[in-house]
């Protein structure tokens, strides 16, 4: 497929040998919304990063970030619900008629644009005696299906595992309270309420995830639809889930719902009620929360039923390989290990260039800071499939601005130096050449004198953990059309304050 970028006249037989452009030349207008395709429906700028992470087959959060934000603690389960709602919003958008119509249109344009290339390659193969023929529509269908399937499977498996982690911990804490508070009816009732709110709220979200996560490819050129749920519309997946759920016994959940009706309607809580509870403690729990046997049964019933429904709808979880960016990176690293010179040891690593643009620290202060900075930057990796195979080669290539004549804090001078020094060919994408990092006085201070945690009003959401951690400045060297920035990232100037935990 290297011929994609080579002009036809340099390789193709007649009648293609008179064409002075390549296949890539023909399809490049796709990046400018080619004539005949529709613009994608509007999307929330706030969710762009999450959408792109999932699209490239990455998990929503690493284990380290998950633990730092204390999202494994049932008391903070609402933070997980917020993340799940964002993920559901992304997939609902991907499943909308407007988005699917647009995607099919762009996809069809890409396939059609390769027809000329397919004809030239197959003619070349025929004349050289090769029987195998190129099927560009089938190749594109295979590629796109792999992207969509990986995005869906990795995200869904991650959600199921994380919800299971929170719920099992909530259940363990509940059973522990029952044992420790024997005879204290009100304490146990409060524990039942806390357990049920957490587990049942997450049940509602993971139920939606079971049928929302997926993107059908029906109608895509070259794709042969299957009878699997993944090729059904979102509406049909939801209806199918409901029909399967109706076949399951919900004995304990029904008892809870019946008891809730007997208890009567509860007054919705407002901010005043929540503040009052924070000051004076919770109000007595409703009578239904005293039946511990029902709530213990509710947990096991829910876990079993949802696992069976999930399997019936989605099939067995698929084994997934390493994240795609890791595969690409390993291929490039392997190339240099085979062809590079022994003294070019830094060329065999991967990571970011980082400029030091704060010069007020002593050598010992900077050394201590940098050791902690590097350790923090590369401690991520858990739940990133394949990261263990490249972790040892991770690096931050530090440049002291004083050594190359950059004034303190002068990011523009750093950009000029970076653009002249780090071109694509010498690094071949292993040392990132589109962005670089900067440690200035503000980012240095964010590590040595971190800010206290914020509290997110209104209650009961409580603290948002680790959002005020040490950061580094990320400088984007790419130039973007202003209209693209206005739509996808309003206010973006090419510089970001980036939590160090997100580097790897």
């Amino acid at each position: 497929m290297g011929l994609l970028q080579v002009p036809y006249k340099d390789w193709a037989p007649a009648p293609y040998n008179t064409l002075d452009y390549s296949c890539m030349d023909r399809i490049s207008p796709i990046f400018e919304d080619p004539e005949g395709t529709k613009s994608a429906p509007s999307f929330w700028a706030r969710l762009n990063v999450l959408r792109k992470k999932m699209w490239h087959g990455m998990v929503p959060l690493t284990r380290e970030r998950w633990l730092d934000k204390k999202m494994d603690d049932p008391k903070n389960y609402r933070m997980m619900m917020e993340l799940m709602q964002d993920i559901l919003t992304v997939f609902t958008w991907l499943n909308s008629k407007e988005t699917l119509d647009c995607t099919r249109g762009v996809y069809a344009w890409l396939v059609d644009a390769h027809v000329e290339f397919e004809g030239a390659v197959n003619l070349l193969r025929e004349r050289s005696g090769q029987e195998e023929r190129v099927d560009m529509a089938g190749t594109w269908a295979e590629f796109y299906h792999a992207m969509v399937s990986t995005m869906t499977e990795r995200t869904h498996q991650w959600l199921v595992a994380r919800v299971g982690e929170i719920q099992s911990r909530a259940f363990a804490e509940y059973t522990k309270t029952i044992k420790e508070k024997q005879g204290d009816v009100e304490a146990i009732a409060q524990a039942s309420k806390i357990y049920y709110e957490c587990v049942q709220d997450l049940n509602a979200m993971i139920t939606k995830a079971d049928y929302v996560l997926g993107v059908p490819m029906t109608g895509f050129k070259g794709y042969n639809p299957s009878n699997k749920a993944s090729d059904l519309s979102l509406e049909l997946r939801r209806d199918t889930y409901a029909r399967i759920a109706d076949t399951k016994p919900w004995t304990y959940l029904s008892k809870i719902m019946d008891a809730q009706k007997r208890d009567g309607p509860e007054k919705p809580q407002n901010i005043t009620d929540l503040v009052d509870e924070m000051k004076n403690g919770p109000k007595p729990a409703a009578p239904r929360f005293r039946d511990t046997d029902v709530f213990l049964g509710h947990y096991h019933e829910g876990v079993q039923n949802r696992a069976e429904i999930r399997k019936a709808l989605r099939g067995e979880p698929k084994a997934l390989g390493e994240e795609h960016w890791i595969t690409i990176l390993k291929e490039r690293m392997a190339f240099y290990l085979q062809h590079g010179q022994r003294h070019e040891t830094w060329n065999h690593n991967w990571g970011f260039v980082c400029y030091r643009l704060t010069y007020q620290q002593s050598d010992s202060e900077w050394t201590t800071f940098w050791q902690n900075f590097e350790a923090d930057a590369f401690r991520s990796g858990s739940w990133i499939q394949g990261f263990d195979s490249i972790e040892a080669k991770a690096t931050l290539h530090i440049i002291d601005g004083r050594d190359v004549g950059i004034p303190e804090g002068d990011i523009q001078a750093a950009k000029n130096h970076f653009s002249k020094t780090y071109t694509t060919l010498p690094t071949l994408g292993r040392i990132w050449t589109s962005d670089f990092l900067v440690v200035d006085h503000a980012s240095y201070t964010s590590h040595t004198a971190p800010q206290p945690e914020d509290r997110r009003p209104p209650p009961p959401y409580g603290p948002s953990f680790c959002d005020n951690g040490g950061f580094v400045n990320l400088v984007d060297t790419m130039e973007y059309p202003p209209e693209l920035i206005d739509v996808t990232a309003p206010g973006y100037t090419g510089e970001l304050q980036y939590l160090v935990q997100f580097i790897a």
Side-chain angles (χ1 to χ4, degrees):
M1 289 300 176
L3 297 176
L4 284 167
Q5 302 184 54
V6 181
Y8 287 102
K9 66 179 183 179
D10 294 337
W11 63 271
Y16 302 96
N17 58 351
T18 61
L19 305 177
D20 60 357
Y21 54 82
S22 69
C23 180
M24 289 300 295
D25 292 334
R26 295 282 281 181
I27 67 173
S28 58
I30 194 68
F31 303 108
E32 302 170 4
D33 195 13
E35 185 177 356
T37 66
K38 301 176 183 178
S39 297
S42 60
F43 187 77
W44 300 266
R46 181 181 67 84
L47 299 180
N48 258 327
V49 173
L50 175 63
R51 174 170 65 105
K52 290 179 180 179
K53 282 187 68 175
M54 294 189 297
W55 180 255
H56 289 289
M58 302 169 71
V59 292
L61 283 180
T62 65
R63 180 177 182 273
E64 290 75 16
R65 184 65 176 160
W66 168 264
L67 295 177
D68 284 343
K69 291 185 70 62
K70 302 184 181 181
M71 292 178 70
D72 60 321
D73 190 334
K75 292 192 294 293
N76 303 320
Y77 81 91
R78 289 181 179 86
M79 287 195 287
M80 179 59 174
M81 289 187 65
E82 290 176 9
L83 175 59
M84 293 182 76
Q85 184 57 56
D86 286 346
I87 291 172
L88 291 171
T89 298
V90 171
F91 274 90
T92 300
W93 179 84
L94 289 170
N95 277 271
S96 69
K97 182 180 184 302
E98 295 78 10
T99 302
L100 285 173
D101 286 348
C102 175
T103 306
R104 288 192 193 97
V106 174
Y107 176 91
W109 190 92
L110 275 170
V111 172
D112 291 343
H114 281 85
V115 169
E116 190 173 53
F117 176 79
E118 178 181 305
V121 169
N122 285 337
L123 185 57
L124 181 66
R125 291 190 171 198
E126 179 182 342
R127 293 187 178 181
S128 62
Q130 299 182 51
E131 295 183 1
E132 186 179 1
R133 296 293 180 264
V134 171
D135 176 12
M136 294 305 297
T139 300
W140 269 104
E142 182 180 355
F143 168 76
Y144 189 77
H145 185 258
M147 291 282 291
V148 169
S149 299
T150 300
M151 169 185 66
T152 299
E153 279 294 322
R154 203 181 303 278
T155 305
H156 182 261
Q157 290 180 24
W158 187 89
L159 287 177
V160 171
R162 301 290 73 75
V163 168
E165 181 180 348
I166 297 172
Q167 289 184 330
S168 62
R169 181 171 168 181
F171 183 72
E173 292 177 358
Y174 176 49
T175 55
K176 181 181 178 182
T177 301
I178 293 175
K179 292 178 181 179
E180 293 179 348
K181 300 291 184 179
Q182 288 184 7
D184 190 338
V185 176
E186 182 56 30
I188 292 177
Q190 289 292 343
S192 298
K193 182 179 180 182
I194 292 170
Y195 152 80
Y196 181 69
E197 288 178 348
C198 169
V199 171
Q200 194 62 12
D201 283 353
L202 289 175
N203 278 342
M205 299 300 286
I206 199 62
T207 292
K208 291 181 180 179
D210 283 341
Y211 62 77
V212 170
L213 266 63
V215 182
M217 281 191 61
T218 305
F220 283 70
K221 284 190 175 183
Y223 178 72
N224 297 317
S226 67
N227 58 358
K228 296 180 180 179
S230 57
D231 282 332
L232 300 177
S233 68
L234 174 55
E235 292 75 17
L236 286 176
R237 297 199 302 270
R238 181 179 59 236
D239 293 344
T240 303
Y241 187 101
R243 288 198 299 272
I244 299 172
D246 285 342
T247 67
K248 301 298 176 183
W250 299 97
T251 306
Y252 294 101
L253 180 60
S254 296
K255 288 182 178 180
I256 293 173
M257 301 305 291
D258 290 342
Q260 184 173 336
K261 291 179 182 178
R262 291 194 298 271
D263 288 344
E266 296 180 1
K267 176 187 173 183
Q269 285 188 316
N270 55 34
I271 296 298
T272 303
D273 297 325
L274 294 170
V275 172
D276 180 66
E277 286 194 6
M278 292 176 67
K279 291 180 178 179
N280 305 313
K283 296 178 181 178
R288 66 180 179 277
F289 291 111
R290 297 173 184 174
D291 190 344
T292 56
D293 289 340
V294 170
F295 289 99
L296 293 172
H298 163 267
Y299 174 77
H300 297 294
E301 176 183 78
V303 170
Q304 179 175 336
N305 282 351
R306 283 180 174 79
E308 292 175 356
I309 298 168
R310 185 177 300 124
K311 181 178 179 180
L313 179 69
R314 305 181 67 94
E316 293 285 358
K318 298 179 179 63
L320 296 170
E322 62 195 15
E323 293 188 4
H324 188 52
W325 68 272
I326 293 178
T327 302
I328 296 173
L329 184 60
K330 286 167 67 174
E331 290 175 352
R332 293 174 177 175
M333 291 167 66
F335 175 86
Y336 262 77
L337 286 172
Q338 294 172 12
H339 300 92
Q341 300 297 318
R342 290 186 179 275
H343 66 272
E344 295 175 336
T345 53
W346 73 271
N347 274 339
H348 305 319
N349 293 330
W350 67 274
F352 282 90
V353 173
C354 183
Y355 286 84
R356 175 187 177 180
L357 298 185
T358 177
Y359 309 142
Q360 302 171 21
Q361 301 78 23
S362 66
D363 290 344
S364 61
E365 287 174 333
W366 177 261
T367 299
T368 300
F369 161 79
W370 187 249
Q371 289 173 345
N372 295 332
F373 185 93
E374 281 193 304
D376 201 22
F378 290 111
R379 71 185 181 90
S380 295
S382 301
W383 298 343
I384 301 177
Q385 204 151 349
F387 187 80
D388 56 339
S389 65
I390 61 170
E391 185 175 9
K393 294 291 185 180
T395 188
L396 290 173
H397 188 60
I398 184 68
I399 294 179
D400 191 323
R402 294 172 297 184
D403 296 338
V404 292
I406 299 177
E408 185 172 27
D410 192 338
I411 289 180
Q412 184 57 51
K415 289 180 74 171
N416 295 338
H417 179 269
F418 182 81
S419 63
K420 295 176 182 177
T421 307
Y422 293 94
T423 56
T424 301
L425 288 178
T427 54
L428 203 61
R430 290 160 298 106
I431 298 296
W432 195 246
T433 55
S434 296
D435 315 305
F436 63 89
L437 308 177
V438 169
V439 177
D440 59 7
H441 181 71
S443 57
Y444 176 88
T445 304
S446 72
H447 292 264
T448 57
Q451 295 294 312
E453 294 289 353
D454 283 341
R455 295 192 67 83
R456 294 185 299 172
Y461 293 102
S464 176
F465 300 101
C466 275
D467 287 343
N468 279 335
F471 66 85
V472 65
N473 299 293
L474 185 143
V475 180
D476 188 350
T477 64
M478 302 292 288
E479 297 291 337
Y480 303 98
E483 58 273 15
L484 177 65
I485 296 298
D486 291 342
V487 172
T488 61
Y492 180 64
T493 62
E495 296 180 21
L496 295 171
Q497 289 184 345
Y498 208 71
L499 287 174
V500 174
Q501 300 159 339
F502 290 156
I503 292 177

